[in-house]
Coordinates of all heavy atoms in Angstrom, one line a residue:
Chain B
A119 N 75.5 40.4 111.6 CA 76.2 41.5 112.1 C 76.1 41.6 113.7 O 77.1 41.9 114.3 CB 75.6 42.8 111.6
R120 N 75.0 41.2 114.2 CA 74.8 41.1 115.7 C 75.8 40.1 116.2 O 76.5 40.3 117.2 CB 73.4 40.6 116.1 CG 72.4 41.7 116.0 CD 71.0 41.1 116.0 NE 69.9 42.1 115.9 CZ 69.3 42.7 116.9 NH1 69.7 42.4 118.1 NH2 68.4 43.6 116.7
H121 N 75.9 38.9 115.5 CA 76.8 37.8 116.0 C 78.2 38.3 116.0 O 79.0 38.0 116.9 CB 76.6 36.6 115.0 CG 77.5 35.5 115.4 ND1 77.4 34.8 116.6 CD2 78.5 34.9 114.7 CE1 78.3 33.9 116.7 NE2 79.0 33.9 115.5
A122 N 78.6 39.1 114.9 CA 80.0 39.6 114.9 C 80.3 40.5 116.1 O 81.3 40.4 116.7 CB 80.2 40.3 113.6
L123 N 79.3 41.3 116.4 CA 79.5 42.2 117.5 C 79.5 41.4 118.9 O 80.2 41.8 119.8 CB 78.4 43.3 117.6 CG 78.6 44.4 116.5 CD1 77.3 45.3 116.3 CD2 79.7 45.3 116.9
E124 N 78.7 40.4 118.9 CA 78.7 39.5 120.1 C 80.1 38.9 120.3 O 80.6 38.8 121.4 CB 77.6 38.5 120.1 CG 76.3 39.1 120.4 CD 75.1 38.2 119.9 OE1 75.3 37.1 119.4 OE2 73.9 38.7 120.0
R125 N 80.7 38.5 119.2 CA 82.0 37.8 119.2 C 83.1 38.8 119.7 O 84.0 38.4 120.4 CB 82.4 37.4 117.8 CG 81.7 36.1 117.3 CD 82.1 35.8 115.9 NE 83.4 35.2 115.8 CZ 84.0 35.0 114.6 NH1 83.4 35.3 113.5 NH2 85.2 34.5 114.6
V126 N 82.9 40.1 119.5 CA 83.9 41.1 120.0 C 83.4 41.6 121.3 O 84.0 42.7 121.8 CB 84.2 42.2 119.0 CG1 84.7 41.6 117.7 CG2 82.9 43.0 118.7
G127 N 82.4 41.0 121.9 CA 82.0 41.4 123.3 C 81.1 42.7 123.3 O 81.1 43.3 124.4
L128 N 80.4 42.9 122.2 CA 79.6 44.2 122.2 C 78.1 43.8 122.0 O 77.3 44.6 121.5 CB 80.0 45.1 121.1 CG 81.3 45.9 121.4 CD1 81.7 46.7 120.3 CD2 81.2 46.7 122.7
G129 N 77.7 42.6 122.5 CA 76.3 42.2 122.3 C 75.3 43.2 123.0 O 74.2 43.3 122.6
H130 N 75.8 43.9 124.0 CA 75.0 44.8 124.7 C 75.0 46.2 124.2 O 74.3 47.1 124.7 CB 75.4 44.8 126.2 CG 76.8 45.3 126.4 ND1 77.9 44.6 125.9 CD2 77.3 46.3 127.1 CE1 79.0 45.3 126.2 NE2 78.6 46.3 126.9
R131 N 75.8 46.5 123.1 CA 76.0 47.8 122.6 C 75.5 47.9 121.2 O 75.9 48.8 120.4 CB 77.4 48.2 122.7 CG 78.0 48.2 124.1 CD 77.3 49.3 124.9 NE 78.3 50.2 125.5 CZ 78.0 51.4 126.0 NH1 76.7 51.8 126.0 NH2 78.9 52.1 126.6
L132 N 74.7 47.0 120.7 CA 74.3 47.0 119.3 C 73.7 48.2 118.8 O 74.0 48.7 117.7 CB 73.3 45.8 119.1 CG 73.8 44.4 119.5 CD1 72.6 43.4 119.4 CD2 74.9 44.0 118.6
K133 N 72.8 48.9 119.6 CA 72.1 50.0 119.1 C 72.7 51.4 119.5 O 72.1 52.4 119.3 CB 70.6 50.0 119.7 CG 69.8 48.7 119.3 CD 69.5 48.8 117.8 CE 68.7 47.6 117.4 NZ 68.6 47.5 115.9
N134 N 73.9 51.3 120.1 CA 74.6 52.5 120.4 C 75.3 53.1 119.2 O 75.9 52.4 118.4 CB 75.6 52.3 121.6 CG 74.8 52.0 122.9 OD1 74.6 50.9 123.3 ND2 74.4 53.1 123.5
R135 N 75.3 54.4 119.2 CA 76.1 55.1 118.1 C 77.5 55.3 118.6 O 77.8 55.3 119.8 CB 75.4 56.4 117.7 CG 74.1 56.3 117.1 CD 73.6 57.5 116.3 NE 72.6 57.1 115.4 CZ 71.3 56.9 115.7 NH1 70.9 57.0 116.9 NH2 70.4 56.6 114.7
P136 N 78.5 55.5 117.7 CA 79.9 55.6 118.0 C 80.1 56.6 119.2 O 80.9 56.4 120.1 CB 80.5 56.1 116.7 CG 79.7 55.5 115.7 CD 78.3 55.6 116.2
G137 N 79.4 57.7 119.1 CA 79.6 58.8 120.2 C 79.2 58.3 121.6 O 79.6 58.9 122.6
E138 N 78.5 57.2 121.6 CA 78.1 56.7 122.9 C 79.0 55.5 123.4 O 78.7 54.9 124.4 CB 76.6 56.1 122.8 CG 75.6 57.2 122.5 CD 74.3 56.7 121.9 OE1 74.3 55.5 121.6 OE2 73.4 57.5 121.7
L139 N 80.0 55.2 122.6 CA 80.9 54.1 123.0 C 82.3 54.6 123.4 O 82.7 55.7 122.9 CB 81.1 53.2 121.7 CG 79.8 52.6 121.2 CD1 80.1 51.8 119.9 CD2 79.2 51.6 122.2
S140 N 83.0 53.8 124.2 CA 84.4 54.2 124.6 C 85.3 53.9 123.4 O 84.9 53.3 122.4 CB 84.8 53.4 125.8 OG 85.0 52.0 125.4
G141 N 86.6 54.4 123.5 CA 87.5 54.2 122.5 C 87.7 52.7 122.2 O 87.8 52.3 121.0
G142 N 87.9 51.9 123.2 CA 88.1 50.5 123.1 C 86.9 49.8 122.4 O 87.0 48.9 121.6
E143 N 85.7 50.3 122.8 CA 84.4 49.7 122.2 C 84.3 50.1 120.7 O 84.0 49.2 119.9 CB 83.2 50.2 123.0 CG 83.1 49.5 124.4 CD 82.0 50.2 125.2 OE1 81.7 51.4 125.0 OE2 81.4 49.4 126.0
Q144 N 84.7 51.3 120.4 CA 84.6 51.7 119.0 C 85.6 50.9 118.2 O 85.3 50.4 117.1 CB 85.0 53.2 118.9 CG 83.9 54.1 119.4 CD 84.3 55.6 119.1 OE1 84.7 55.9 118.0 NE2 84.1 56.5 120.1
Q145 N 86.8 50.6 118.8 CA 87.8 49.8 118.1 C 87.3 48.4 117.8 O 87.5 47.8 116.8 CB 89.1 49.8 118.8 CG 90.3 49.4 118.0 CD 90.5 50.2 116.7 OE1 89.6 50.2 115.8 NE2 91.5 51.0 116.7
R146 N 86.5 47.9 118.8 CA 85.9 46.5 118.7 C 84.8 46.5 117.6 O 84.7 45.5 116.9 CB 85.4 46.0 120.0 CG 86.6 45.5 120.9 CD 86.2 44.8 122.1 NE 85.8 45.8 123.2 CZ 85.0 45.5 124.2 NH1 84.5 44.3 124.3 NH2 84.8 46.4 125.1
V147 N 84.1 47.6 117.5 CA 83.1 47.7 116.4 C 83.8 47.6 115.0 O 83.4 47.0 114.1 CB 82.2 49.0 116.5 CG1 81.3 49.1 115.3 CG2 81.4 49.0 117.8
C148 N 85.0 48.4 115.0 CA 85.8 48.4 113.9 C 86.3 47.0 113.5 O 86.3 46.7 112.3 CB 87.0 49.4 114.2 SG 87.6 50.2 112.8
I149 N 86.7 46.3 114.5 CA 87.1 44.9 114.2 C 86.0 44.0 113.7 O 86.2 43.3 112.7 CB 87.7 44.3 115.5 CG1 89.0 45.0 115.9 CG2 88.0 42.8 115.4 CD1 89.6 44.7 117.3
A150 N 84.8 44.2 114.3 CA 83.7 43.4 113.8 C 83.4 43.7 112.4 O 83.0 42.9 111.6 CB 82.4 43.7 114.7
R151 N 83.4 45.0 112.0 CA 83.2 45.5 110.7 C 84.3 44.9 109.7 O 84.0 44.5 108.6 CB 83.2 47.0 110.6 CG 82.9 47.5 109.2 CD 83.0 49.0 109.2 NE 84.3 49.5 109.4 CZ 84.7 50.8 109.7 NH1 83.7 51.7 109.8 NH2 85.9 51.1 109.9
A152 N 85.5 44.8 110.2 CA 86.6 44.3 109.4 C 86.5 42.8 109.1 O 86.9 42.4 108.0 CB 88.0 44.6 110.0
I153 N 85.9 42.1 110.0 CA 85.9 40.6 109.8 C 84.5 40.1 109.3 O 84.4 38.9 108.9 CB 86.2 39.8 111.2 CG1 85.1 40.2 112.2 CG2 87.6 40.2 111.7 CD1 85.1 39.2 113.4
I154 N 83.6 41.0 109.2 CA 82.2 40.5 108.9 C 82.1 39.8 107.5 O 81.3 38.9 107.3 CB 81.2 41.7 108.9 CG1 79.7 41.2 108.8 CG2 81.4 42.7 107.8 CD1 79.3 40.4 110.0
N155 N 83.0 40.2 106.6 CA 82.9 39.6 105.2 C 84.0 38.5 105.0 O 84.3 38.2 103.9 CB 83.1 40.7 104.1 CG 81.9 41.7 104.2 OD1 80.8 41.3 104.4 ND2 82.2 43.0 103.9
S156 N 84.5 38.0 106.2 CA 85.5 36.9 106.2 C 86.6 37.2 105.2 O 86.9 36.5 104.2 CB 84.8 35.6 105.7 OG 83.7 35.3 106.6
P157 N 87.4 38.3 105.5 CA 88.5 38.6 104.6 C 89.7 37.7 104.8 O 89.8 37.0 105.8 CB 88.9 40.0 105.2 CG 88.6 40.0 106.6 CD 87.3 39.2 106.7
K158 N 90.5 37.6 103.7 CA 91.7 36.8 103.8 C 92.8 37.5 104.4 O 93.8 37.0 104.8 CB 92.1 36.4 102.3 CG 91.1 35.4 101.6 CD 91.6 34.0 101.9 CE 90.8 33.0 101.1 NZ 89.5 32.8 101.6
L159 N 92.7 38.9 104.4 CA 93.8 39.7 104.9 C 93.2 40.8 105.8 O 92.3 41.5 105.4 CB 94.4 40.4 103.6 CG 95.6 41.4 103.9 CD1 96.8 40.7 104.6 CD2 96.1 42.0 102.6
L160 N 93.7 40.8 107.0 CA 93.3 41.9 108.0 C 94.4 42.9 108.1 O 95.6 42.5 108.5 CB 93.0 41.2 109.3 CG 92.3 42.2 110.3 CD1 90.8 42.4 109.9 CD2 92.4 41.7 111.7
L161 N 94.1 44.1 107.9 CA 95.1 45.2 108.0 C 94.8 46.0 109.2 O 93.7 46.5 109.4 CB 95.2 46.1 106.7 CG 95.4 45.4 105.4 CD1 95.3 46.3 104.3 CD2 96.8 44.7 105.4
G162 N 95.8 46.3 110.0 CA 95.6 47.2 111.2 C 96.6 48.3 111.1 O 97.8 48.1 111.1
D163 N 96.1 49.5 111.1 CA 97.0 50.7 111.0 C 97.0 51.3 112.4 O 96.1 52.1 112.8 CB 96.5 51.7 110.0 CG 97.5 52.8 109.8 OD1 98.6 52.8 110.4 OD2 97.2 53.8 109.0
E164 N 97.9 50.9 113.3 CA 98.1 51.4 114.6 C 96.7 51.2 115.3 O 96.2 52.2 115.9 CB 98.5 52.8 114.7 CG 99.7 53.1 113.9 CD 100.9 53.6 114.7 OE1 100.9 53.3 115.9 OE2 101.8 54.1 114.0
P165 N 96.1 50.0 115.3 CA 94.8 49.9 115.9 C 94.7 50.1 117.4 O 93.6 50.4 117.9 CB 94.4 48.4 115.6 CG 95.7 47.7 115.4 CD 96.7 48.7 114.9
T166 N 95.8 50.1 118.1 CA 95.7 50.3 119.5 C 96.4 51.7 119.9 O 96.6 52.0 121.1 CB 96.5 49.2 120.3 OG1 97.8 49.1 119.8 CG2 95.8 47.8 120.0
G167 N 96.7 52.4 118.9 CA 97.4 53.7 119.1 C 96.7 54.7 120.0 O 97.3 55.5 120.7
N168 N 95.3 54.6 120.0 CA 94.6 55.5 120.9 C 94.0 54.9 122.1 O 93.1 55.4 122.8 CB 93.4 56.1 120.1 CG 93.9 57.2 119.1 OD1 95.1 57.6 119.1 ND2 93.1 57.5 118.1
L169 N 94.5 53.7 122.4 CA 93.9 52.9 123.5 C 94.8 52.9 124.7 O 96.0 52.9 124.5 CB 93.5 51.5 123.1 CG 92.6 51.4 121.9 CD1 92.3 49.9 121.6 CD2 91.3 52.1 122.1
D170 N 94.2 52.7 125.9 CA 95.1 52.5 127.1 C 95.6 51.1 127.1 O 95.1 50.2 126.3 CB 94.3 52.9 128.3 CG 93.0 52.1 128.5 OD1 92.9 50.9 128.0 OD2 92.0 52.6 129.0
N171 N 96.4 50.8 128.0 CA 97.0 49.4 128.1 C 96.0 48.3 128.2 O 96.1 47.3 127.5 CB 98.0 49.3 129.3 CG 99.3 50.1 128.9 OD1 99.6 50.4 127.8 ND2 100.1 50.4 130.0
K172 N 95.0 48.5 129.1 CA 94.0 47.5 129.3 C 93.3 47.2 128.0 O 93.1 46.0 127.6 CB 93.1 47.9 130.4 CG 92.2 46.8 130.9 CD 91.3 47.4 132.0 CE 90.1 46.4 132.2 NZ 89.1 47.1 133.0
S173 N 92.8 48.3 127.4 CA 92.1 48.1 126.1 C 93.0 47.5 125.0 O 92.5 46.7 124.2 CB 91.5 49.5 125.6 OG 90.7 50.0 126.6
T174 N 94.2 47.9 125.0 CA 95.2 47.4 124.0 C 95.3 45.8 124.1 O 95.1 45.1 123.1 CB 96.6 48.0 124.2 OG1 96.4 49.4 124.0 CG2 97.6 47.4 123.2
V175 N 95.4 45.4 125.3 CA 95.5 43.9 125.6 C 94.2 43.2 125.2 O 94.3 42.2 124.5 CB 95.9 43.6 127.0 CG1 95.8 42.1 127.3 CG2 97.3 44.2 127.4
M176 N 93.1 43.8 125.5 CA 91.8 43.2 125.1 C 91.7 43.1 123.6 O 91.2 42.1 123.1 CB 90.7 44.1 125.7 CG 90.3 43.8 127.1 SD 89.0 44.9 127.7 CE 87.6 44.3 126.8
V177 N 92.0 44.2 122.9 CA 91.9 44.2 121.5 C 92.9 43.2 120.8 O 92.5 42.4 120.0 CB 92.2 45.6 120.9 CG1 92.5 45.6 119.4 CG2 91.0 46.5 121.2
M178 N 94.1 43.1 121.3 CA 95.1 42.2 120.8 C 94.6 40.7 121.0 O 94.8 39.8 120.1 CB 96.5 42.4 121.3 CG 97.1 43.8 121.0 SD 96.9 44.2 119.3 CE 98.1 43.1 118.6
E179 N 94.1 40.5 122.2 CA 93.6 39.1 122.5 C 92.5 38.7 121.6 O 92.4 37.6 121.1 CB 93.3 39.0 124.0 CG 94.5 38.8 124.8 CD 94.2 38.6 126.3 OE1 93.1 38.9 126.7 OE2 95.1 38.2 127.1
L180 N 91.6 39.7 121.4 CA 90.5 39.5 120.5 C 91.0 39.1 119.1 O 90.5 38.2 118.5 CB 89.6 40.7 120.5 CG 88.4 40.7 119.6 CD1 87.4 39.6 120.0 CD2 87.7 42.1 119.7
L181 N 91.9 39.9 118.6 CA 92.4 39.6 117.3 C 93.1 38.3 117.2 O 92.9 37.6 116.2 CB 93.5 40.7 116.9 CG 92.9 42.1 116.5 CD1 94.0 43.1 116.3 CD2 92.0 42.0 115.3
K182 N 93.8 37.9 118.2 CA 94.4 36.6 118.3 C 93.4 35.5 118.2 O 93.6 34.5 117.4 CB 95.2 36.5 119.6 CG 96.0 35.2 119.7 CD 96.7 35.1 121.1 CE 96.9 33.7 121.5 NZ 97.3 33.6 122.9
E183 N 92.3 35.6 118.9 CA 91.2 34.6 118.9 C 90.6 34.5 117.5 O 90.4 33.4 117.0 CB 90.2 35.0 119.9 CG 90.5 34.6 121.4 CD 89.5 35.3 122.3 OE1 88.3 35.5 121.9 OE2 89.9 35.6 123.5
L184 N 90.3 35.7 117.0 CA 89.6 35.7 115.7 C 90.5 35.1 114.6 O 90.0 34.4 113.7 CB 89.3 37.2 115.3 CG 88.2 37.8 116.2 CD1 88.0 39.3 115.9 CD2 86.8 37.1 116.0
R185 N 91.8 35.4 114.7 CA 92.7 34.9 113.7 C 92.8 33.4 113.8 O 92.8 32.7 112.8 CB 94.1 35.5 113.9 CG 95.1 35.0 112.9 CD 96.5 35.3 113.4 NE 97.5 34.6 112.7 CZ 98.7 34.2 113.1 NH1 99.0 34.4 114.4 NH2 99.6 33.7 112.3

Side-chain angles (χ1 to χ4, degrees):
Chain B
R120 283 167 182 265
H121 179 61
L123 284 166
E124 282 160 6
R125 284 175 77 187
V126 299
L128 287 177
H130 61 298
R131 299 294 235 166
L132 300 173
K133 298 291 179 192
N134 288 95
R135 292 198 161 79
E138 299 159 349
L139 301 174
S140 69
E143 286 173 328
Q144 287 188 46
Q145 197 57 294
R146 280 187 278 158
V147 176
C148 211
I149 292 169
R151 183 181 65 194
I153 62 164
I154 189 68
N155 295 322
S156 304
K158 290 268 188 289
L159 179 62
L160 189 77
L161 302 176
D163 189 2
E164 310 243 18
T166 58
N168 286 345
L169 304 180
D170 56 30
N171 285 341
K172 191 180 163 195
S173 298
T174 297
V175 172
M176 275 178 70
V177 164
M178 296 312 290
E179 281 182 344
L180 179 60
L181 286 174
K182 183 185 153 191
E183 282 169 26
L184 291 171
R185 181 199 169 209

